[in-house]
Amino acid sequence: MPLILDNPMGGEAMQVDLDDVNDLFGDGAPLALPPRPLSKRLRQRLHDLHNWGSCQRIAWSKSGTIASITHDGQQIQLRYIRAETKDASFALTEPTSVTPWANLAGGPVVHLSFGPCNSELAVIDAAGRVLILNFHANLNRPSLSRRWDHDPVDDLHAVVGTYWLHNLPQTNPRMPNTPPYTPSYAPAIRNTTSNNYSFGMTPIISTGPWHPYPNKSALICITTNAILKMFWSQNNGQILETPLELENMTYESDSITHAAVCSDRTKTLIIAMATASKQLRIVQVGINWGLPKPEGAQSIPSGSHPLNPTLTKRHVTVANWFQPGAANSHLDASMNMTHIEILPSIPNGSIKDWTSVVILTVRSFIPEPNSPYTHEVQSIIDRWEFQPEQPQAFHPAFEQLGARRNNDRPTPPNATKPKKLEPIVTHKIILGVHVVGSGKVICFTYYDGSVEYRDRFTMDELYREPTFDRINSVMDVGFSLTGEPSCLQIALSPSNYSLVQLCENGQVKWRTIEYTLADPESMIDTQVSALVASFTIATAQAVTNGASLDDILAVGRRFVNKEGFAVEWVKSTVSMMKIAVDYTEDAPHDHLIKNSILQMCLSIINYLGWRGDSQSRQSWGKLSMLALNLRNIVVMITLSSNTINLNKNTMTPLDEPEVVNALAGCVRWSTDLLCWLCDSLFCLLTDAQFMKLLKQPQLAQLTQYLHSKNEIALHLVLCSATRGLLSAVCRRISLLDSYSTRAISWYENREKTNPSEPRAAAHQALYAAYQKIRLNTSSSLVKADEFDKLLTGLGAEIRSAYGSSLAVLGEQAARAASSQSQHGQNAARPDASQEAIARARQHCELQMLVMQPPPMSFVPVIDKFFNKDLREFRTRCQVVELHFADYSLLEINDGPRSRERRRAKGVRVDIFKRVEISRKPSGADGENNGRPPLAWRSCARCASVMEDLALLNNKPGLTFLLRQQIHCSCSGRMGLLQNDEPAQSQGP
C-alpha cells in the first residue's frame, strides 16, 4: 500500500511503497503479530488433564439430562433441551442446582459419568469417593442410589479412569446360536437411476461382560494406587462394591495417572494404565457373577438369585508410552499426557476378521507465559496396536548350555507385543476424545470449538467433502459441527447431532450441526433425498441404542417447511425398520398398544406438525397428537386394572380415589373426542364440495381439500392404527362404566348396612370418584359402544375392499414365485401371495397415517360410509348439541380465537388426570384445599404438562401408575418446572 508524504523541497508529493518494508533488513519473511496468549483457565484445564485422568466436568445422558460441575466444584447443575411453545424450537433450559451430599470431605467434585441404563450418573470427588444418582423419573430431579459417606478420604483412591458395563443384550429366540448384536441401519446407498436409497443392516456384535440382569449396569473405577473398584447393583437394588488390586504399587513412580477400560470380544475387560514413570501397562480382567448355570445357553437369569461377583486378572504386557523423537517434533520431550483411550476390537468387513485393540494417547504442549521463545501449541496423538498373542521361542544360545535335555525345557508362554503406529501431530489443543460410529470413528474436540472426525483404521480426516452415493452419517451430506471458541470442555449428544460446551466464562452453551451446502428453502431434490436418508439412519440408531431423539428433531425443525421432508422421513423410517402400521385384521389391541416404535414415529410427526402457540398444527401433526393421547389413555386404564403385590397383600389402583379421579378425567377426555369426531364427520357430510369430490374415482383432490381445511376426521377412521386406538378406547370406556356401576351399587348398599364403618370417609371418596366416571359416561352425547359398532362395520368394509383389490397382486406374486422355483432360483414359498398383499396393505396404511390419499379401492367404502352408515348413525345423535359443545379439553380447535381464549384463561390440560390446571392461586389464601399448588412437570418434546404427584408416596396404586408412565404420551422425557419458571402454554 503506498504512503503519500509531503515533499519539503516543493514539487509533487513522494510515494513510499510499504509492500516490501519487511525486506528493509534483508529478511524476506513478513512480519506477524505474536499469538494471543493462552488463558489461565485453559492452562488450568490442561493441568487437570495431566494430573487427573478423570476430570470430565460436563456430561450428556442418553435420556437427555446435561449435568455439569460449577467452577468451584461445590454443586452440580442440571439442564436439558426443551421445545419452546412460542415457535416449537428447542433451547437449553436454565440450570437446576443440586447438592445431594452433607459435606465435601473429599474435596470438590471433579468428574461426571453417565451410565447406559436408567440414566445413572456417577459423581466423583477429588478423593475418589463415588456417589450415584438416578434420573429415572425426571430429567432434572434425581434420586440418590448410592452415598459416598463410607468411602475413604485418601488421595491414593483418587479415580483416574471410569467405565460403565454395556447393557445386557437381548438374544433372538429364532437364532439362539447367534451371538447377540445391535442392528446398525447403515449405510444408505443411492440407486443409480433415482434419488431413492436402500438401507443396509450391519450387525454390531455386543461384547461383554455385562451385568447379568436386564436394564442394569456396573461402574468400573481405576484409582491412583491401581485398585479396580466395581460398583454393581444387587437383585434387591442395593449398590455394592467389589475391589481388585491390579498392580502392587511400591513406589510413587508406579502410581497411575491415566486409565482407560473397554469390553473385549472374549467377554473380559481390557484395562490400559499409564504410570508416572511413563509406562503403559495392560491388564485383562474377568468377571464371574456367581450365578448358577442357566438351563439354556442364552437364557437370562430371572433376578431372584443374589449376585456374588468375583474378579480375576491377567497381566498382558508393559510398554513405554513416551518414545522421544517418534513424533518428529522438537517439543516432544516437553509434552504431558492428557488423554488415554482404548479402541476395542470390532469386526472389520473388509478383512472379514476382528481388528486389533488399539491404545490411543494424547500429549499436549503450550508455551510458558513468560518464555522468551516463540512456540506454537501442539498436540500429538500416539497409537499402539496390540497384535494377537504369539508363541515365543528361546534364544538359540540356550541350546549350547546343555544343562537340560531338550524335552525338559519348559515352553515359554505366549506374549502380546504392542506395535507403535505412526503418530499424528496437530497444532491445536485437543480437549476431548470420543469414540463414535460403533467404534469406527474417533472424534477430537479442540480448544477453539472445532470438532474433527477421523477414521479409526487409517486416521484420515472424514467428512471433508459431501457424498450422496453412500451415506453413513449425517456429516456425509453436508453438515458440520462446531462450537464457540474459548472452550474448556465439550460433551457430545448421544446422537452426535449437537454438543454442549463449558466455556471459560463458566457458561454452558448448546450448538447443533449446521447445513453448509444450501439454504433450506433452495435445496434441490437430490439434497433433500440425502437429507431424509441421513435422518433416517440417525433415528434408527437412536432407537436401537435407547437414546433421545430431541436434538435430531431440533435440527429437523429447520427443514420442516421443505415439502415432503417430514412425511418422507417417517415413511423411510417405517420402511427401513419394518415397523408394523397395518392393523386391518382383527388383531388384539395389545399388539397395537405395545408397538413402541410406532409410538416413536407418531412422536416425530407430532413434533414436526406442531408450530408453536402462534400457528395451527399441520394436519398430520394433529392426527398423530390424538393417536398418541389415545394410546396413553388405553395404557393407563389397562394398568389400573392390574393387581399389585404389597407387603404380602394384594390391591389394585382402582382402590384409590386419586387413581379413579384420574380415570374419570380420561373418560371425559375420551368421550369429548368421540363427540368432536362425530361432529367433524357430520360437518363433512353436509359439505357440498366434499361430497362432490367424493364421487371422483381418485381421492387425491379430496385429500388436498381436507388439507386445506386442516380436517383429519376421515383419516382417523380410515387408518387402521388410529381406528384400532379409537375402538380400544371405546371398549375401555364401557369397561370403566361397568366398574363404576358395580362400585356405586356396592358402596350404596354398604352405607345402608353399616353406616358407622371406620373407613366410611375413604369409601365416600371412592364413591364420589366412581360417580364422576358414571356421570361422564352417561352424559356423553355419543355412546362409546354405539360408536365402536360404527367403527367395526367400517373396518369390515375396508377388509373386504383390500381383499378384492389386492387379490390380483397376490396372484401375480404367487405366479412369479412359482416361476422362480421352477428355474431353480429359489424354493417355492407358499406364502408369497400373502406377503405381497401384506406389503401393499402396509403401504396403503402408511400413506393414510401421514395424511396421504387413501387407495382407489376405498372410494366405494367411503361413499357407503357417508351416504348410508353415517347418515343412519346421525339420526340417533343430537347434532346441534354436538356442534356447539365445548371441546377445549382436547386442545384440538386451533383457530386464532381458540388459541387466544386459552392464553387468556391461563390454564393447561394435565396429561395424567385430563383436567384443566392453572398456576394461578385458587382462593384467598392462594392455596388449593389448604395446600400450596403442586409443582408441574413438563415434556421436553411437546411441552405437555402434568402436576408433580411423586410426593404423594403414601399411595401405592398411584405410585404404580406413575412409575409405569414416566414418559409423556409422545414418549418424550419429563422435567420439573422451577417455581419461578413460567408455564408454557401449548397451542396445538
Side-chain angles (χ1 to χ4, degrees):
M1 180 183 67
L3 176 66
I4 301 177
L5 300 176
D6 293 335
N7 189 350
M9 303 299 294
E12 297 181 358
M14 296 184 296
Q15 291 188 357
V16 179
D17 193 355
L18 297 181
D19 291 339
D20 295 329
V21 70
N22 295 323
D23 200 30
L24 290 176
F25 303 99
D27 186 4
L31 295 177
L33 294 175
R36 181 182 176 182
L38 300 177
S39 66
K40 293 183 179 179
R41 291 201 171 183
L42 175 60
R43 295 179 181 275
Q44 181 62 43
R45 175 58 183 162
L46 291 177
H47 178 269
D48 294 343
L49 288 172
H50 170 58
N51 291 285
W52 288 309
S54 295
C55 55
Q56 182 68 27
R57 302 177 68 91
I58 187 168
W60 197 330
S61 74
K62 283 186 176 181
S63 60
T65 300
I66 301 170
S68 62
I69 304 172
T70 56
H71 178 66
D72 56 3
Q74 302 297 308
Q75 292 181 333
I76 298 175
Q77 292 185 336
L78 305 175
R79 298 173 174 86
Y80 59 97
I81 58 172
R82 184 180 62 195
E84 303 290 342
T85 57
K86 180 180 179 181
D87 55 0
S89 62
F90 276 92
L92 193 64
T93 63
E94 292 297 320
T96 300
S97 298
V98 294
T99 54
W101 47 73
N103 58 71
L104 290 173
V109 177
V110 297
H111 184 71
L112 300 174
S113 177
F114 273 108
C117 308
N118 298 326
S119 298
E120 291 179 311
L121 174 64
V123 182
I124 302 174
D125 65 8
R129 301 191 303 166
V130 178
L131 179 141
I132 298 180
L133 302 176
N134 191 299
F135 292 84
H136 181 68
N138 293 281
L139 287 170
N140 58 346
R141 185 178 62 187
S143 59
L144 188 59
S145 297
R146 183 188 187 273
R147 300 180 181 274
W148 58 20
D149 299 338
H150 300 291
D151 292 353
V153 180
D154 188 346
D155 290 342
L156 291 178
H157 289 270
V159 175
V160 296
T162 59
Y163 178 77
W164 288 88
L165 296 187
H166 295 163
N167 190 11
L168 181 68
Q170 295 182 357
T171 57
N172 190 344
R174 298 180 180 179
M175 297 181 293
N177 297 325
T178 303
Y181 66 89
T182 301
S184 175
Y185 297 95
I189 301 176
R190 185 171 63 175
N191 299 339
T192 57
T193 58
S194 65
N195 289 326
N196 297 327
Y197 284 84
S198 58
F199 297 88
M201 198 285 287
T202 304
I204 304 300
I205 304 299
S206 300
T207 56
W210 312 282
H211 194 288
Y213 296 147
N215 299 321
K216 297 287 185 180
S217 183
L219 174 65
I220 305 296
C221 293
I222 311 298
T223 64
T224 301
N225 58 349
I227 299 294
L228 182 149
K229 297 180 179 181
M230 184 175 74
F231 300 91
W232 50 278
S233 179
Q234 187 59 276
N235 61 342
N236 59 1
Q238 184 181 4
I239 296 181
L240 303 177
E241 176 186 347
T242 300
L244 173 68
E245 185 181 44
L246 299 177
E247 298 281 354
N248 185 10
M249 193 184 76
T250 306
Y251 303 101
E252 185 179 357
S253 59
D254 296 330
S255 62
I256 310 301
T257 60
H258 299 77
V261 188
C262 78
S263 297
D264 189 58
R265 58 173 176 163
T266 58
K267 297 183 180 180
T268 59
L269 296 176
I270 303 296
I271 302 173
M273 299 179 292
T275 68
S277 58
K278 296 182 172 53
Q279 283 187 336
L280 190 62
R281 301 183 180 183
I282 311 300
V283 181
Q284 189 175 21
V285 174
I287 304 176
N288 183 359
W289 293 97
L291 285 172
K293 192 174 182 179
E295 297 179 0
Q298 299 289 337
S299 61
I300 298 175
S302 62
S304 60
H305 298 284
L307 302 178
N308 185 24
T310 56
L311 304 176
T312 57
K313 65 180 179 180
R314 184 178 73 90
H315 295 278
V316 179
T317 188
V318 178
N320 194 330
W321 63 259
F322 176 65
Q323 298 178 8
N328 296 323
S329 172
H330 62 284
L331 302 173
D332 202 0
S334 305
M335 293 188 170
N336 296 319
M337 178 185 289
T338 56
H339 298 83
I340 184 171
E341 192 73 36
I342 300 184
L343 308 182
S345 178
I346 60 175
N348 189 346
S350 60
I351 61 175
K352 296 182 180 181
D353 197 3
W354 289 75
T355 62
S356 301
V357 175
V358 175
I359 309 296
L360 183 147
T361 64
V362 175
R363 294 181 291 132
S364 298
F365 170 82
I366 55 175
E368 294 297 328
N370 299 321
S371 173
Y373 304 102
T374 302
H375 296 298
E376 292 184 350
V377 298
Q378 214 175 73
S379 293
I380 297 180
I381 304 170
D382 294 315
R383 294 173 298 147
W384 291 265
E385 182 181 66
F386 286 83
Q387 303 288 349
E389 295 185 348
Q390 302 292 336
Q392 298 185 94
F394 284 109
H395 193 273
F398 285 96
E399 299 289 343
Q400 303 174 6
L401 295 179
R404 295 184 180 181
R405 292 174 8 185
N406 291 338
N407 55 0
D408 293 335
R409 187 176 66 245
T411 302
N414 295 341
T416 300
K417 295 183 178 180
K419 176 184 177 183
K420 184 72 166 62
L421 303 179
E422 188 68 23
I424 298 171
V425 180
T426 177
H427 295 284
K428 293 192 294 185
I429 297 298
I430 296 178
L431 291 180
V433 181
H434 312 268
V435 181
V436 299
S438 302
K440 299 178 182 179
V441 179
I442 307 173
C443 174
F444 296 96
T445 55
Y446 295 92
Y447 167 69
D448 59 359
S450 60
V451 180
E452 182 181 81
Y453 298 90
R454 290 182 179 268
D455 183 84
R456 175 244 174 90
F457 304 107
T458 64
M459 292 302 289
D460 293 335
E461 190 173 351
L462 300 175
Y463 316 130
R464 299 181 66 90
E465 297 293 337
T467 175
F468 296 156
D469 294 331
R470 185 182 179 91
I471 300 174
N472 285 286
S473 167
V474 70
M475 301 297 177
D476 283 323
V477 300
F479 282 91
S480 64
L481 181 60
T482 304
E484 294 188 5
S486 301
C487 168
L488 296 180
Q489 293 190 57
I490 286 178
L492 297 177
S493 73
S495 65
N496 298 318
Y497 265 56
S498 61
L499 58 82
V500 284
Q501 52 184 155
L502 192 59
C503 300
E504 287 191 358
N505 56 7
Q507 294 183 354
V508 175
K509 296 185 178 181
W510 175 54
R511 297 292 295 269
T512 62
I513 57 176
E514 298 289 341
Y515 193 64
T516 59
L517 296 186
D519 184 79
E521 301 298 330
S522 60
M523 294 174 63
I524 60 177
D525 292 342
T526 302
Q527 295 171 334
V528 174
S529 298
L531 188 71
V532 170
S534 62
F535 273 69
T536 302
I537 292 175
T539 303
Q541 302 289 18
V543 171
T544 54
N545 293 323
S548 173
L549 297 170
D550 290 347
D551 60 333
I552 302 178
L553 295 173
V555 178
R557 165 65 58 184
R558 304 170 192 166
F559 307 94
V560 72
N561 293 327
K562 196 64 182 177
E563 184 179 359
F565 167 73
V567 171
E568 291 301 323
W569 178 6
V570 173
K571 291 169 65 175
S572 180
T573 302
V574 170
S575 176
M576 180 187 64
M577 301 188 70
K578 296 179 174 57
I579 304 172
V581 297
D582 174 28
Y583 292 91
T584 307
E585 301 295 337
D586 285 330
H589 293 141
D590 291 346
H591 298 166
L592 173 60
I593 302 303
K594 294 179 180 179
N595 192 345
S596 59
I597 305 183
L598 177 60
Q599 180 193 17
M600 176 270 300
C601 291
L602 292 173
S603 180
I604 295 175
I605 309 174
N606 174 53
Y607 170 75
L608 295 179
W610 173 44
R611 297 181 288 189
D613 59 1
S614 59
Q615 299 184 61
S616 301
R617 277 184 183 264
Q618 298 275 14
S619 56
W620 31 270
K622 188 185 296 186
L623 182 142
S624 61
M625 181 193 72
L626 292 180
L628 289 168
N629 282 278
L630 284 170
R631 179 186 181 274
N632 187 65
I633 289 177
V634 172
V635 171
M636 183 173 173
I637 296 175
T638 303
L639 292 175
S640 300
S641 304
N642 288 354
T643 301
I644 306 174
N645 295 321
L646 185 65
N647 296 329
K648 299 182 180 180
N649 297 321
T650 60
M651 67 160 298
T652 66
L654 294 173
D655 295 334
E656 295 180 358
E658 291 82 5
V659 173
V660 179
N661 279 321
L663 295 180
C666 293
V667 171
R668 170 67 187 280
W669 189 95
S670 302
T671 54
D672 282 2
L673 175 62
L674 298 182
C675 294
W676 173 85
L677 181 56
C678 290
D679 176 62
S680 300
L681 292 173
F682 295 159
C683 290
L684 291 178
L685 186 61
T686 58
D687 190 329
Q689 181 65 19
F690 173 81
M691 298 304 292
K692 178 182 178 181
L693 294 173
L694 187 57
K695 298 178 182 179
Q696 297 184 3
Q698 299 286 344
L699 295 175
Q701 293 185 1
L702 176 69
T703 304
Q704 186 176 2
Y705 177 71
L706 293 177
H707 277 288
S708 65
K709 298 188 64 175
N710 208 7
E711 180 60 64
I712 65 170
L714 178 60
H715 283 74
L716 265 175
V717 296
L718 289 182
C719 179
S720 63
T722 52
R723 188 175 65 252
L725 291 171
L726 287 168
S727 179
V729 162
C730 290
R731 298 180 186 184
R732 277 11 178 233
I733 292 175
S734 300
L735 180 65
L736 287 180
D737 182 59
S738 175
Y739 284 169
S740 62
T741 302
R742 285 185 290 172
I744 291 172
S745 176
W746 186 86
Y747 285 121
E748 289 178 348
N749 295 332
R750 187 82 172 181
E751 184 178 358
K752 293 178 181 179
T753 58
N754 192 5
S756 60
E757 186 178 357
R759 298 186 59 191
H763 289 169
Q764 185 63 30
L766 266 175
Y767 176 67
Y770 277 113
Q771 278 187 322
K772 289 182 182 180
I773 293 180
R774 189 73 181 90
L775 177 63
N776 290 335
T777 56
S778 60
S779 62
S780 175
L781 298 175
V782 175
K783 303 304 178 184
D785 53 350
E786 295 181 2
F787 190 78
D788 188 31
K789 293 179 182 178
L790 179 67
L791 294 178
T792 302
L794 178 60
E797 295 290 337
I798 290 176
R799 287 194 299 273
S800 177
Y802 274 138
S804 59
S805 62
L806 301 179
V808 177
L809 183 63
E811 294 175 358
Q812 293 175 353
R815 287 196 298 267
S818 176
S819 175
Q820 291 180 1
S821 63
Q822 291 177 1
H823 290 83
Q825 298 180 7
N826 289 306
R829 300 197 316 272
D831 56 348
S833 174
Q834 295 300 322
E835 289 179 358
I837 293 176
R839 285 194 301 268
R841 213 164 50 196
Q842 169 89 354
H843 171 76
C844 296
E845 292 294 332
L846 180 57
Q847 289 283 101
M848 291 185 289
L849 187 63
V850 293
M851 290 294 295
Q852 299 295 302
M856 294 172 50
S857 59
F858 276 32
V859 173
V861 175
I862 300 175
D863 182 72
K864 178 180 178 298
F865 178 72
F866 275 94
N867 289 312
K868 182 181 179 182
D869 301 337
L870 191 62
R871 289 185 185 276
E872 293 178 358
F873 185 79
R874 187 172 182 264
T875 59
R876 302 192 298 272
C877 297
Q878 304 175 24
V879 180
V880 177
E881 286 80 356
L882 284 173
H883 185 71
F884 290 102
D886 181 15
Y887 301 118
S888 59
L889 194 65
L890 302 176
E891 294 183 308
I892 195 66
N893 293 326
D894 50 5
R897 287 187 296 178
S898 299
R899 295 197 302 269
E900 184 60 33
R901 192 181 305 116
R902 273 198 298 273
R903 284 194 294 267
K905 290 175 64 177
V907 296
R908 300 291 310 281
V909 175
D910 189 306
I911 62 170
F912 181 76
K913 299 188 294 184
R914 301 289 169 175
V915 295
E916 290 185 340
I917 56 177
S918 174
R919 283 193 163 184
K920 295 180 180 179
S922 58
D925 57 353
E927 295 182 349
N928 299 321
N929 298 325
R931 297 179 181 178
L934 294 174
W936 283 11
R937 299 171 66 210
S938 175
C939 176
R941 186 175 302 171
C942 72
S944 297
V945 297
M946 64 173 289
E947 289 183 332
D948 181 30
L949 304 175
L951 298 180
L952 303 177
N953 52 12
N954 59 338
K955 303 292 183 180
L958 181 63
T959 303
F960 171 77
L961 283 185
L962 292 175
R963 286 178 178 174
Q964 305 302 318
Q965 292 189 301
I966 59 174
H967 294 78
C968 176
S969 59
C970 73
S971 76
R973 291 299 304 270
M974 306 286 287
L976 192 68
L977 293 179
Q978 301 179 15
N979 294 329
D980 56 348
E981 189 173 2
Q984 304 184 63
S985 176
Q986 177 194 14

